[in-house]
């Protein structure tokens, strides 16, 4: 099956700093989503981005499908950004395959 | 906004019990999914349903069954709960449409089997 690798696995930021999270995948995909899982376990949709670039406030994402990677940018980080960020892809089936996530800690 | 509602945030059951986890969505989505999330293993698909009364096994269906009698509701059933089914369970739904659509998740159910 398709492999999804996220980096870095852990990230500690000072409040106000910027960061880039990366997601590499091993095959062509027809769906790519970024999620934020907060400390209460809720999985929040950030972006649906099988290709191209999208922005939502301080967050933006870019997927380069031909090179099989996606990037999530977080600017001016806040403590509420803490949690785990997941990339998940779908390759021709109904199933989303998740990466192992990047655990982000934003400290005041 | 899409609303996917799981019946319980926290649930404690005993070994051998039959356990029902309920999921309801309000967007007339055709596809619905059950995942479980475990430390070190990530999210894994248990079952999905692409339409009413339709179901397909995911990666880890053993010990589980599902029911989809109405479009808005997808139930996960633990036939005889065991301690290794202690986990976080997440339901998702999406519109099938003519092209792939994003999956939308509920808030999750933390299930403990004692």
């Amino acid at each position: 099956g398709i492999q999804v690798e996220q980096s870095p696995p852990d990230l500690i930021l000072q409040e106000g700093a910027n960061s880039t999270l990366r997601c590499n995948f091993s095959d062509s995909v027809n769906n790519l989503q970024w999620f934020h899982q907060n400390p209460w376990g809720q999985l929040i949709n950030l972006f649906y981005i099988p290709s191209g670039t999208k922005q939502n406030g301080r967050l933006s994402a870019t997927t380069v499908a031909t090179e099989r990677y996606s990037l999530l940018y977080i600017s001016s980080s806040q403590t509420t950004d803490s949690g785990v960020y997941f990339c998940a892809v779908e390759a021709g089936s109904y199933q989303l395959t998740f990466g192992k996530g990047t655990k982000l800690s934003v400290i005041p | 906004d899409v609303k996917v509602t799981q019946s319980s945030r926290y649930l404690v059951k005993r070994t051998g019990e039959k356990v029902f986890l309920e999921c309801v969505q309000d967007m007339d989505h055709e596809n619905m999914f059950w995942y479980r999330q475990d430390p070190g293993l990530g999210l894994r698909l248990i079952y999905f349903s692409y339409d009413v009364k339709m179901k397909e096994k995911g990666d880890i269906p053993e010990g589980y069954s599902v029911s989809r009698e109405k479009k808005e509701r997808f139930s996960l059933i633990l036939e005889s709960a065991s301690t290794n089914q202690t986990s976080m369970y997440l339901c998702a739904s999406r519109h099938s449409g003519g092209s792939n659509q994003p999956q939308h998740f509920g808030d999750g159910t933390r299930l403990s089997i004692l």
Side-chain angles (χ1 to χ4, degrees):
Chain A
I2 193 167
Q3 305 296 313
V4 181
E5 293 183 0
Q6 291 186 241
S7 59
D10 294 280
L11 186 58
I12 300 174
L13 293 178
Q14 201 77 37
E15 199 169 22
N18 303 327
S19 63
T20 301
L21 282 56
R22 188 176 178 102
C23 172
N24 292 333
F25 43 95
S26 61
D27 206 345
S28 301
V29 299
N30 46 24
N31 179 7
L32 188 146
Q33 292 182 245
W34 282 99
F35 298 92
H36 174 217
Q37 189 165 42
N38 63 24
W40 297 270
Q42 296 168 312
L43 205 57
I44 310 298
N45 265 315
L46 297 177
F47 294 103
Y48 168 67
I49 187 165
S51 63
T53 297
K54 291 186 178 180
Q55 179 152 10
N56 185 2
R58 296 181 296 102
L59 303 182
S60 64
T62 295
T63 297
V64 183
T66 53
E67 297 187 21
R68 300 181 184 169
Y69 72 89
S70 183
L71 301 173
L72 178 69
Y73 305 96
I74 305 173
S75 64
S76 304
S77 58
Q78 301 175 358
T79 55
T80 52
D81 295 331
S82 297
V84 183
Y85 289 81
F86 289 102
C87 168
V89 303
E90 184 178 346
S93 72
Y94 288 93
Q95 180 171 339
L96 270 180
T97 299
F98 284 76
K100 294 189 183 299
T102 292
K103 184 178 180 181
L104 175 64
S105 301
V106 181
I107 56 177
Chain B
D1 275 358
V2 177
K3 184 67 174 174
V4 180
T5 303
Q6 295 184 227
S7 52
S8 305
R9 289 299 309 278
Y10 302 92
L11 202 55
V12 180
K13 296 291 183 180
R14 295 204 175 274
T15 303
E17 281 192 67
K18 190 170 187 176
V19 181
F20 294 84
L21 302 183
E22 306 287 347
C23 176
V24 177
Q25 49 91 6
D26 66 353
M27 288 300 292
D28 203 36
H29 284 171
E30 290 83 8
N31 303 160
M32 296 188 75
F33 307 81
W34 276 106
Y35 295 84
R36 65 178 279 179
Q37 184 178 21
D38 301 286
L41 298 176
L43 281 92
R44 296 175 293 168
L45 182 67
I46 306 171
Y47 267 98
F48 66 95
S49 168
Y50 48 90
D51 211 333
V52 178
K53 297 190 186 293
M54 301 296 191
K55 60 184 179 184
E56 292 286 341
K57 293 179 180 179
D59 292 332
I60 50 165
E62 296 79 18
Y64 303 94
S65 63
V66 290
S67 173
R68 184 119 182 253
E69 295 297 317
K70 293 185 178 182
K71 194 173 188 179
E72 67 270 18
R73 185 181 297 270
F74 191 35
S75 303
L76 180 69
I77 304 156
L78 285 65
E79 297 291 344
S80 178
S82 63
T83 55
N84 63 12
Q85 293 178 309
T86 292
S87 187
M88 172 71 135
Y89 290 86
L90 290 149
C91 173
S93 75
R94 72 157 179 209
H95 184 54
S96 60
S99 60
N100 286 297
Q101 301 289 320
Q103 292 189 22
H104 300 268
F105 283 78
D107 288 345
T109 297
R110 291 190 186 275
L111 175 64
S112 296
I113 307 296
L114 304 179

